[in-house]
Amino acid sequence: MKITDKYHRPVFSLRISITNRCNVKCFYCHHDGIIPQNYEMTPEEIERIVRVAKEIGIKKIRLSGGEPLIRDDIIDIIQRISSIGFQDVSLTTNGTLLGKYAEKLVDAGLNRVNVSFDTLDPETYRFITKKDYLDQAKDGIKKASEAGLYPVKVNMVVMKNINHHEIWDMFQFCRENGAILQLIELLKTDNCPDTAFFDEYHYEMDEIEEELVELSSKIKTRQFMQDRKKYFVEGGEIEIVKPMDNTNFCKNCTRLRITPDGKIKPCLLKNDNLTDLINPIRQGYSDEELKKLFLDAIEKREPFYKEEC
Ligand code: SAM
């Protein structure tokens, strides 16, 4: 089954936030656009949701949070999802627990990971996360590559006067560890802990993009990945993720999200168009009725940034 929304955008990926808990406290964190609450779905409920999602045409599942590896039942969750049979099962993590879990995750059927990792400098790491887990995170990236999670992507939120000068060191670190570097634009969302940081730290990536165009042997545009650009430089790869005011980013969005309390969320940047799934599941709705809720949520999809006619 192939499903598109009213803007003719195919919908085939689902990002599930399985917890709001996290073991680091990044000052800029948007919590995947979710208003923090203490609620987690059970592995059985997550499995039911992804089974129905597959029936409406979802092909790719990504787990996020909060920190997904903080859940004691993470291996069970991955096993349940991967046994259903998706094109891709991935996870976004801060990497601090990856050293412990990488091999078990591979055995459970996880295909790949994105590791949020912004700096190689211990003081900057502490400033951003309020924790001293730099070495654990570095080790997690290495172990993920060694365990065969592929590709490992390192998500670096680039911030002016915090880490923008580290881009090439980070690239070197990624290349040494078989990872792709993703440079992510700092985003301001309604639920960021405080928005004052944005003006101070937002970094325009135009200059680095110009440099990458000069240095790249090849450039690819990943249409169904929000039109992201991928640059191939000296045996390594760098991707740029620039959502702010980017109509192409929204035009090529293929994603639905699920919040930790079991609501379908059509857009990272909006919280006024959610569709409850968990209560219907608990009230005994059939798969057909749950599919209808997915279709209603897809009907509510709107590009956050759209071209004015
Ligand atoms: N704990 C996991 C992790 O650290 O990757 C998953 C949750 S985290 C909210 C998911 C992604 O959102 C991370 O790659 C993080 O860097 C990114 N992120 C969080 N706040 C952001 C912001 N204000 N701007 C851009 N990216 C942000």
Side-chain angles (χ1 to χ4, degrees), residues 15 22 28-32 64-68 92-94 114-116 118 155 157 184-188 192 197:
R15 182 174 177 118
C22 192
Y28 60 73
C29 186
H30 58 35
H31 307 277
D32 264 18
S64 180
E67 173 49 42
T92 301
T93 168
N94 59 39
N114 283 33
V115 184
S116 307
D118 300 322
N155 288 0
V157 177
I184 301 186
E185 180 184 28
L186 182 66
L187 253 183
K188 178 165 64 176
C192 280
F197 72 85

Short mmCIF file of all heavy atoms in Angstrom, two decimals, residues 15 22 28-32 64-68 92-94 114-116 118 155 157 184-188 192 197, ligand 1:
data_model
loop_
_atom_site.label_atom_id
_atom_site.label_comp_id
_atom_site.label_asym_id
_atom_site.label_seq_id
_atom_site.Cartn_x
_atom_site.Cartn_y
_atom_site.Cartn_z
N ARG A 15 8.33 7.90 13.15
CA ARG A 15 9.31 8.15 14.21
C ARG A 15 8.58 8.06 15.55
O ARG A 15 7.68 8.87 15.80
CB ARG A 15 9.92 9.54 13.99
CG ARG A 15 10.99 9.90 14.99
CD ARG A 15 11.63 11.22 14.59
NE ARG A 15 12.61 11.66 15.53
CZ ARG A 15 13.90 11.84 15.23
NH1 ARG A 15 14.34 11.64 14.02
NH2 ARG A 15 14.74 12.26 16.15
N CYS A 22 15.61 11.22 29.86
CA CYS A 22 16.91 11.29 29.21
C CYS A 22 17.99 11.36 30.29
O CYS A 22 17.74 11.90 31.38
CB CYS A 22 16.99 12.52 28.30
SG CYS A 22 18.44 12.47 27.22
N TYR A 28 19.60 22.94 24.50
CA TYR A 28 18.82 23.38 23.34
C TYR A 28 17.72 22.40 22.97
O TYR A 28 17.00 22.58 21.99
CB TYR A 28 19.75 23.55 22.12
CG TYR A 28 20.48 22.27 21.73
CD1 TYR A 28 19.81 21.23 21.10
CD2 TYR A 28 21.83 22.11 22.03
CE1 TYR A 28 20.47 20.05 20.77
CE2 TYR A 28 22.49 20.93 21.69
CZ TYR A 28 21.81 19.91 21.06
OH TYR A 28 22.44 18.76 20.74
N CYS A 29 17.54 21.32 23.75
CA CYS A 29 16.74 20.18 23.29
C CYS A 29 15.27 20.53 23.06
O CYS A 29 14.59 21.08 23.92
CB CYS A 29 16.82 19.03 24.28
SG CYS A 29 15.98 17.56 23.62
N HIS A 30 14.77 20.14 21.88
CA HIS A 30 13.35 20.37 21.58
C HIS A 30 12.49 19.15 21.89
O HIS A 30 11.31 19.14 21.61
CB HIS A 30 13.16 20.82 20.13
CG HIS A 30 13.68 19.86 19.09
ND1 HIS A 30 13.65 18.49 19.22
CD2 HIS A 30 14.22 20.11 17.86
CE1 HIS A 30 14.15 17.94 18.13
NE2 HIS A 30 14.53 18.89 17.30
N HIS A 31 13.07 18.10 22.50
CA HIS A 31 12.34 16.88 22.89
C HIS A 31 11.48 16.33 21.75
O HIS A 31 10.34 15.91 21.96
CB HIS A 31 11.44 17.15 24.11
CG HIS A 31 12.17 17.75 25.26
ND1 HIS A 31 12.89 16.99 26.15
CD2 HIS A 31 12.34 19.04 25.65
CE1 HIS A 31 13.45 17.80 27.05
NE2 HIS A 31 13.14 19.04 26.75
N ASP A 32 12.04 16.34 20.54
CA ASP A 32 11.31 15.87 19.37
C ASP A 32 9.96 16.58 19.21
O ASP A 32 8.98 16.01 18.73
CB ASP A 32 11.12 14.35 19.41
CG ASP A 32 12.22 13.65 18.58
OD1 ASP A 32 13.26 14.30 18.31
OD2 ASP A 32 12.03 12.49 18.20
N SER A 64 13.00 7.18 18.96
CA SER A 64 13.68 8.36 19.47
C SER A 64 13.15 8.63 20.87
O SER A 64 12.53 7.79 21.50
CB SER A 64 13.43 9.53 18.49
OG SER A 64 14.07 10.68 18.95
N GLY A 65 13.37 9.85 21.38
CA GLY A 65 12.88 10.16 22.72
C GLY A 65 13.02 11.66 22.97
O GLY A 65 13.00 12.44 22.02
N GLY A 66 13.32 11.94 24.22
CA GLY A 66 14.04 11.28 25.28
C GLY A 66 15.17 10.40 24.74
O GLY A 66 15.54 10.47 23.59
N GLU A 67 15.73 9.63 25.66
CA GLU A 67 16.81 8.72 25.26
C GLU A 67 16.26 7.29 25.19
O GLU A 67 15.97 6.69 26.23
CB GLU A 67 17.97 8.84 26.27
CG GLU A 67 19.08 7.84 26.08
CD GLU A 67 19.58 7.75 24.63
OE1 GLU A 67 19.74 8.77 23.95
OE2 GLU A 67 19.80 6.60 24.16
N PRO A 68 16.11 6.75 23.98
CA PRO A 68 15.48 5.43 23.87
C PRO A 68 16.23 4.31 24.60
O PRO A 68 15.61 3.38 25.10
CB PRO A 68 15.44 5.16 22.36
CG PRO A 68 16.27 6.20 21.72
CD PRO A 68 16.40 7.34 22.66
N THR A 92 17.62 6.89 17.21
CA THR A 92 18.42 8.09 17.47
C THR A 92 18.75 8.11 18.96
O THR A 92 17.86 7.98 19.79
CB THR A 92 17.65 9.37 17.08
OG1 THR A 92 17.32 9.28 15.70
CG2 THR A 92 18.49 10.61 17.29
N THR A 93 20.02 8.26 19.26
CA THR A 93 20.48 8.13 20.65
C THR A 93 21.59 9.14 20.94
O THR A 93 22.26 9.60 20.01
CB THR A 93 21.02 6.69 20.90
OG1 THR A 93 21.70 6.66 22.15
CG2 THR A 93 21.98 6.22 19.81
N ASN A 94 21.80 9.43 22.22
CA ASN A 94 22.94 10.28 22.55
C ASN A 94 24.23 9.46 22.64
O ASN A 94 25.30 10.00 22.89
CB ASN A 94 22.70 11.07 23.84
CG ASN A 94 22.43 10.18 25.04
OD1 ASN A 94 23.06 9.13 25.19
ND2 ASN A 94 21.52 10.59 25.90
N ASN A 114 21.56 6.84 14.59
CA ASN A 114 22.08 8.21 14.53
C ASN A 114 22.49 8.56 15.96
O ASN A 114 21.71 8.34 16.89
CB ASN A 114 20.99 9.19 14.10
CG ASN A 114 20.73 9.13 12.62
OD1 ASN A 114 20.85 8.07 12.01
ND2 ASN A 114 20.38 10.26 12.03
N VAL A 115 23.70 9.07 16.10
CA VAL A 115 24.17 9.41 17.44
C VAL A 115 24.30 10.94 17.53
O VAL A 115 25.03 11.55 16.76
CB VAL A 115 25.54 8.76 17.74
CG1 VAL A 115 25.94 9.06 19.19
CG2 VAL A 115 25.49 7.26 17.51
N SER A 116 23.57 11.50 18.48
CA SER A 116 23.64 12.95 18.66
C SER A 116 24.89 13.26 19.46
O SER A 116 25.01 12.86 20.63
CB SER A 116 22.40 13.44 19.41
OG SER A 116 21.28 12.96 18.74
N ASP A 118 27.81 16.45 19.63
CA ASP A 118 28.04 17.79 19.09
C ASP A 118 29.48 18.28 19.18
O ASP A 118 29.81 19.31 18.59
CB ASP A 118 27.16 18.81 19.83
CG ASP A 118 25.68 18.50 19.70
OD1 ASP A 118 25.26 18.07 18.62
OD2 ASP A 118 24.95 18.68 20.70
N ASN A 155 24.93 13.06 14.52
CA ASN A 155 24.13 14.30 14.41
C ASN A 155 24.82 15.40 15.20
O ASN A 155 24.87 15.33 16.43
CB ASN A 155 22.74 14.10 15.02
CG ASN A 155 21.84 13.23 14.20
OD1 ASN A 155 22.22 12.74 13.14
ND2 ASN A 155 20.62 13.03 14.66
N VAL A 157 24.53 19.24 16.08
CA VAL A 157 23.80 20.50 15.99
C VAL A 157 24.86 21.60 16.02
O VAL A 157 25.61 21.73 16.99
CB VAL A 157 22.79 20.67 17.16
CG1 VAL A 157 22.09 22.02 17.08
CG2 VAL A 157 21.76 19.54 17.15
N ILE A 184 23.43 19.66 11.64
CA ILE A 184 22.01 20.00 11.85
C ILE A 184 21.89 21.45 12.28
O ILE A 184 22.59 21.91 13.19
CB ILE A 184 21.39 19.06 12.91
CG1 ILE A 184 21.53 17.62 12.43
CG2 ILE A 184 19.95 19.42 13.21
CD1 ILE A 184 20.86 16.60 13.28
N GLU A 185 20.98 22.15 11.61
CA GLU A 185 20.73 23.54 11.97
C GLU A 185 19.99 23.60 13.31
O GLU A 185 19.06 22.82 13.55
CB GLU A 185 19.85 24.16 10.88
CG GLU A 185 19.52 25.61 11.13
CD GLU A 185 18.56 26.16 10.07
OE1 GLU A 185 17.77 25.38 9.49
OE2 GLU A 185 18.61 27.38 9.84
N LEU A 186 20.40 24.52 14.17
CA LEU A 186 19.72 24.71 15.45
C LEU A 186 18.30 25.21 15.18
O LEU A 186 18.09 26.15 14.41
CB LEU A 186 20.48 25.75 16.28
CG LEU A 186 19.94 26.05 17.68
CD1 LEU A 186 20.04 24.83 18.60
CD2 LEU A 186 20.68 27.22 18.30
N LEU A 187 17.33 24.54 15.80
CA LEU A 187 15.92 24.85 15.56
C LEU A 187 15.31 25.49 16.80
O LEU A 187 15.63 25.09 17.91
CB LEU A 187 15.17 23.55 15.36
CG LEU A 187 14.68 23.13 14.00
CD1 LEU A 187 13.90 21.83 14.14
CD2 LEU A 187 13.79 24.18 13.37
N LYS A 188 14.38 26.40 16.55
CA LYS A 188 13.62 26.95 17.67
C LYS A 188 12.22 26.36 17.59
O LYS A 188 11.58 26.47 16.55
CB LYS A 188 13.56 28.47 17.54
CG LYS A 188 12.78 29.13 18.63
CD LYS A 188 13.03 30.62 18.69
CE LYS A 188 12.58 31.35 17.45
NZ LYS A 188 12.72 32.79 17.53
N CYS A 192 11.05 24.32 23.19
CA CYS A 192 12.45 24.41 23.61
C CYS A 192 12.45 24.99 25.03
O CYS A 192 11.62 25.87 25.33
CB CYS A 192 13.25 25.32 22.69
SG CYS A 192 13.75 24.53 21.16
N PHE A 197 18.35 31.30 23.73
CA PHE A 197 19.61 30.76 23.23
C PHE A 197 19.67 30.83 21.70
O PHE A 197 20.74 30.87 21.13
CB PHE A 197 19.80 29.30 23.68
CG PHE A 197 18.90 28.32 23.00
CD1 PHE A 197 19.24 27.77 21.78
CD2 PHE A 197 17.69 27.97 23.56
CE1 PHE A 197 18.40 26.87 21.14
CE2 PHE A 197 16.85 27.08 22.92
CZ PHE A 197 17.21 26.53 21.70
N1 SAM B 1 18.13 11.21 23.03
C1 SAM B 1 18.22 11.01 21.63
C2 SAM B 1 19.38 11.77 21.06
O1 SAM B 1 20.09 12.44 21.81
O2 SAM B 1 19.60 11.67 19.86
C3 SAM B 1 16.96 11.29 20.84
C4 SAM B 1 16.20 12.55 21.13
S1 SAM B 1 16.87 14.05 20.49
C5 SAM B 1 15.55 15.16 20.91
C6 SAM B 1 16.69 13.82 18.75
C7 SAM B 1 17.49 14.75 17.88
O3 SAM B 1 17.00 16.07 17.98
C8 SAM B 1 18.97 14.83 18.22
O4 SAM B 1 19.74 14.57 17.06
C9 SAM B 1 19.18 16.26 18.65
O5 SAM B 1 20.43 16.72 18.34
C10 SAM B 1 18.09 16.97 17.88
N2 SAM B 1 17.69 18.25 18.49
C11 SAM B 1 17.20 18.46 19.72
N3 SAM B 1 16.94 19.76 19.92
C12 SAM B 1 17.28 20.41 18.79
C13 SAM B 1 17.24 21.76 18.36
N4 SAM B 1 16.80 22.75 19.17
N5 SAM B 1 17.65 22.04 17.10
C14 SAM B 1 18.09 21.06 16.27
N6 SAM B 1 18.14 19.76 16.62
C15 SAM B 1 17.76 19.44 17.86
#
